[in-house]
Amino acid sequence: MVAVHSASSCLAALPGTFFIPVFAEPAHFSVLEMGLFAACILLSGGLFFWRFGPILRTILQAKKDQDFSLHPLGRRMWEFFWEVLCQAKVIEQRPAPGIAHAFVFWGFLAFALVSLNHFAAGLRLGFLPPESLVGKFYFDFAAVWAVLVAVSITSLFVRRFFIRPIWLGKKLSYESGFISFLIFLLMVTYLGAFFAAEGSPAIKALWWTHTLALLVFLPLIPHTKHLHLVLSPLTVFLKRDGFSKIPPLAGDEDFGLVAGKDVTQLIALQAYSCVECGRCTEHCPAATTGKVLNPKEIILGMRGYLNEFGAASDSLLLVETAANGASGSHLSMEAAFQCTTCGSCEFQCPVGIQHLPIIVGLRRGATNTGAWEDTYGTKLFLALEKNGNALGLSASERDKFIAKQGIPIFDGTQEYCLWLGCMGGYDPKGREIIADFARVMDFLGTTFGVLKKEKCTGDPARRLGNDLVFQTLAEHGLKALETAKVQKIVAICPHCVRTISNDWREYGIAPEIEHHSEFMARHKDRLPKQSDGGDIVYHDPCYLGRYRDVYEQPREIVELAGALVEAPRSHERSFCCGAGGGLAFLGEEHGERVSHVRAKELADTGAQRVGTACPFCNTMFRDALTAVTPDGKAPPQLLDIAQLTARNLPPILPN
């Protein structure tokens, strides 16, 4: 809305014609009115910076991110355009409320020029006269957006205060309700100017109401979730390159997120950007099965800590149990170690918050300083150090399996090094997957071999925050691959693929590695197809899907063995099996088991077989499928995609 002199009337009407609303505005502002307006602007702006200043100082005073780089700039610009300007993630993951939010956002962009002109006009400096051709077009254009914004903000208000999805939280934010009212008032007062007489008391009242709504809204932003209006575009643009990228430690004195002084600028920026939409909570396997962990509360807990202690504090970030409202109890140790690192939270977040580096950073701080004491965790780390595998078995057990299966040792002449991993080398069912995949490779005529000595990639140590053990294993693996002159690796475990291709980069560059689903999909035309293999429901592993963006290749392999059936939650929204983040080795979980929830979803599809593409998922579903199947009924058969494929191969003829 603006305030420049105009001779146009608010309604253009002739006898026998339709009324055509025309934007109207105050005809004149007195010196006193301009002075009062300027004073209101200064007061509103002053209150905003008074409240925003401490937040900005906290972010700037935080430790610099050692590995941060603006490159690749092109990718950052594209993600800013796609996620911020286009609101793509907001709409894609929650279409109905997402489009309503997008309309509000786009409406604010459309109103930017109107609002600038509004403030300028109140000081007799208006630059967009409504009677001009450009002015008439733009004010009419903004009116369309005003209607969309008014309807959208009303629907969002009803959703938050009446429908009240549990993911938004139990506590109602009356500040959010008031801000919704202010946004609605801004739109109504703007539209009202199309139906009031120019120069009338009504138009002056509408103008001042619109002005005061804007000026009251501004200082409310810093201490509400609407701070994301200011910070989230920066958060999206500046977030770390790559999904769930764990930053390297900065020297020997860096143990992870121990205290406030360890919080980096990116973490602080992300903590203050949370919009509290609850998308991370809705898709978190821990939160949805009654665990203490709630990824939203991890971010808000970080914000609460920074507000209380600042970014230079020596106060510990993690306490054993977080008591809401108690001083220094913003983040709990128990919650941090319930994360499966499935990545749903980070994938879902519409404002660029990267939860996993923060959670793993908290685990690092607790593990590397000895603050985390867990019997199973200690046993796991000792097994990795002593035996080189997470199951704690002797390396001779792996040697026996290799000899029994007749798998060749990699000697530098074969095309592929087949990486067994802990599950493929030591777990009985994992060994079956390896044996069947080896059959597939033989059928395709691909030469391969396994390393004579192979240790764990360090994935569970990495996710649980033990950097010393992880470094030792990573350096050993890199050296073994270099010594064997390996050029290409294929593995059945997505965790191994992720760790070797991404996490090992801190210590060196490993040879090219791919998952066996990618390998088989490339050769699908040479693999046999079963005409009537029955229904097969495929489970997307987190570390293959969200981490590696591999969704279609395993489905192509499943379709060779039967009719593909999709689970209720699939692709990017796939529900975790519960094994990631080292949790497969930390004993029984509290409350409802994540694996049972997912297994029931898979079994309820009615498919005769469940297809997996990760040995950890396979492990978690073995007992879970039996547990969720009613008595007297056989559970669906559980098979890896390599096993589904191998069952279609011609039988091996005896010598």
Side-chain angles (χ1 to χ4, degrees):
M1 188 179 317
V2 294
V4 293
H5 299 287
S6 171
S8 63
S9 62
C10 70
L11 291 175
L14 292 172
T17 64
F18 292 104
F19 285 102
I20 303 174
V22 178
F23 185 76
E25 53 195 2
H28 178 74
F29 285 98
S30 67
V31 174
L32 180 61
E33 285 178 313
M34 288 194 296
L36 179 61
F37 178 50
C40 289
I41 292 175
L42 291 174
L43 178 61
S44 177
L47 287 173
F48 171 82
F49 285 107
W50 177 65
R51 303 185 80 181
F52 181 64
I55 295 171
L56 183 60
R57 282 195 297 273
T58 298
I59 295 172
L60 294 177
Q61 288 171 359
K63 187 171 81 172
K64 292 189 182 299
D65 292 82
Q66 295 293 322
D67 64 329
F68 177 76
S69 171
L70 277 175
H71 299 289
L73 192 59
R75 180 197 60 80
R76 293 187 182 277
M77 294 175 66
W78 165 253
E79 289 187 353
F80 181 87
F81 168 77
W82 186 242
E83 295 185 19
V84 178
L85 298 182
C86 294
Q87 296 281 283
K89 185 175 282 191
V90 173
I91 297 170
E92 182 182 18
Q93 299 305 319
R94 274 187 186 169
I99 194 66
H101 183 280
F103 278 144
V104 174
F105 172 75
W106 293 329
F108 267 76
L109 295 183
F111 263 80
L113 189 59
V114 172
S115 297
L116 284 174
N117 187 67
H118 180 91
F119 281 96
L123 301 171
R124 297 183 184 174
L125 300 171
F127 53 85
L128 197 63
E131 68 271 14
S132 68
L133 186 63
V134 174
K136 184 179 185 321
F137 168 80
Y138 199 85
F139 286 121
D140 289 347
F141 172 74
V144 174
W145 281 106
V147 173
L148 291 172
V149 171
V151 172
S152 297
I153 201 66
T154 301
S155 68
L156 292 173
F157 177 86
V158 170
R159 180 173 180 267
R160 180 171 286 272
F161 286 89
F162 294 97
I163 300 175
R164 297 181 63 180
I166 59 173
W167 318 117
L168 296 178
K170 296 179 181 179
K171 184 180 177 181
L172 287 175
S173 171
Y174 293 103
E175 284 180 324
S176 295
F178 182 61
I179 287 176
S180 297
F181 167 73
L182 289 177
I183 295 172
F184 182 80
L185 187 62
L186 286 170
M187 301 302 108
V188 169
T189 51
Y190 178 79
L191 292 171
F194 284 84
F195 299 93
E198 184 176 350
S200 67
I203 199 67
K204 184 66 73 78
L206 286 169
W207 192 92
W208 275 106
T209 304
H210 189 93
T211 299
L212 291 174
L214 273 171
L215 297 179
V216 169
F217 178 71
L218 187 61
L220 289 177
I221 291 174
H223 282 191
T224 68
K225 69 185 186 69
H226 292 83
L227 183 59
H228 79 279
L229 295 172
V230 179
L231 295 182
S232 64
L234 273 176
T235 308
V236 171
F237 185 75
L238 297 175
K239 65 182 178 181
R240 287 189 183 87
D241 182 27
F243 186 80
S244 184
K245 182 179 179 181
I246 301 171
L249 297 178
D252 294 337
E253 299 302 313
D254 186 359
F255 298 102
L257 296 178
V258 181
K261 63 185 180 182
D262 301 307
V263 176
T264 67
Q265 291 179 338
L266 280 181
I267 292 174
L269 175 64
Q270 293 178 8
Y272 282 109
S273 298
C274 180
V275 69
E276 303 177 38
C277 63
R279 296 182 187 219
C280 55
T281 306
E282 180 182 358
H283 294 272
C284 174
T288 54
T289 54
K291 312 295 190 292
V292 175
L293 172 63
N294 179 341
K296 181 176 77 172
E297 296 303 326
I298 291 287
I299 303 305
L300 296 181
M302 182 66 73
R303 180 196 296 179
Y305 176 97
L306 292 172
N307 284 337
E308 181 174 354
F309 298 107
S313 173
D314 288 320
S315 296
L316 296 178
L317 286 162
L318 286 179
V319 295
E320 284 299 326
T321 303
N324 292 334
S327 177
S329 60
H330 300 286
L331 297 158
S332 88
M333 184 89 69
E334 183 181 6
F337 282 91
Q338 287 180 339
C339 177
T340 67
T341 65
C342 72
S344 286
C345 51
E346 188 169 319
F347 176 81
Q348 286 289 333
C349 184
V351 292
I353 296 171
Q354 296 171 300
H355 304 70
L356 292 177
I358 296 174
I359 292 174
V360 172
L362 292 169
R363 289 178 167 188
R364 278 173 148 177
T367 301
N368 292 334
T369 60
W372 181 55
E373 297 179 353
D374 182 88
T375 303
Y376 289 102
T378 301
K379 183 179 178 181
L380 169 65
F381 297 148
L382 288 175
L384 290 171
E385 289 183 85
K386 181 180 178 181
N387 301 102
N389 66 85
L391 280 69
L393 299 175
S394 169
S396 62
E397 295 298 316
R398 177 180 179 273
D399 296 337
K400 292 176 185 176
F401 164 66
I402 292 171
K404 181 179 178 181
Q405 292 296 322
I407 300 175
I409 300 298
F410 189 85
D411 59 13
T413 63
Q414 300 102 319
E415 184 180 1
Y416 279 94
C417 170
L418 174 58
W419 187 271
L420 299 186
C422 298
M423 302 303 290
Y426 298 95
D427 177 72
K429 293 295 183 182
R431 288 175 171 178
E432 291 178 11
I433 298 171
I434 285 290
D436 280 329
F437 181 57
R439 279 192 62 205
V440 173
M441 295 184 81
D442 280 332
F443 175 80
L444 293 170
T446 304
T447 58
F448 66 94
V450 298
L451 292 180
K452 186 172 179 134
K453 295 188 181 296
E454 176 195 289
K455 291 187 177 182
C456 177
T457 62
D459 165 71
R462 176 67 156 174
R463 312 302 160 192
L464 288 171
N466 193 323
D467 287 279
L468 181 60
V469 171
F470 171 69
Q471 179 178 350
T472 302
L473 292 170
E475 290 176 343
H476 177 276
L478 286 165
K479 183 65 176 176
L481 292 170
E482 182 185 6
T483 301
K485 296 182 173 54
V486 173
Q487 298 296 317
K488 290 193 290 186
I489 312 169
V490 62
I492 65 167
C493 179
H495 295 254
C496 293
V497 175
R498 165 70 183 198
T499 307
I500 291 173
S501 61
N502 287 71
D503 297 270
W504 280 14
R505 287 180 178 270
E506 288 183 33
Y507 309 104
I509 305 299
E512 174 189 342
I513 185 170
E514 66 180 336
H515 187 250
H516 72 315
S517 65
E518 298 170 286
F519 172 86
M520 289 190 291
R522 272 206 328 278
H523 299 93
K524 65 179 180 179
D525 293 338
R526 297 170 54 200
L527 294 172
K529 180 177 175 63
Q530 188 169 341
S531 57
D532 186 19
D535 291 342
I536 305 170
V537 59
Y538 172 67
H539 164 76
D540 286 282
C542 304
Y543 273 66
L544 185 62
R546 282 183 290 271
Y547 275 78
R548 194 166 172 81
D549 199 30
V550 172
Y551 296 105
E552 298 312 314
Q553 294 92 321
R555 283 173 168 77
E556 292 171 2
I557 300 306
V558 168
E559 288 176 331
L560 293 176
L564 173 66
V565 174
E566 293 291 0
R569 288 181 278 192
S570 65
H571 292 79
E572 295 90 346
R573 292 191 173 206
S574 180
F575 195 69
C576 183
C577 73
L583 267 62
F585 308 103
L586 295 190
E588 291 292 318
E589 61 187 274
H590 299 293
E592 190 176 15
R593 301 194 68 174
V594 174
S595 59
H596 286 198
V597 172
R598 182 55 169 172
K600 189 172 189 312
E601 284 186 348
L602 299 172
D604 285 351
T605 63
Q608 295 91 359
R609 289 182 285 179
V610 173
T612 62
C614 171
F616 282 104
C617 297
N618 197 291
T619 297
M620 299 302 287
F621 293 147
R622 286 174 208 164
D623 295 331
L625 284 170
T626 301
V628 301
T629 301
D631 293 339
K633 187 177 179 181
Q637 188 180 22
L638 178 66
L639 294 168
D640 184 87
I641 56 172
Q643 296 175 292
L644 289 170
T645 304
R647 276 154 178 70
N648 292 340
L649 298 179
I652 300 175
L653 299 175
N655 293 330

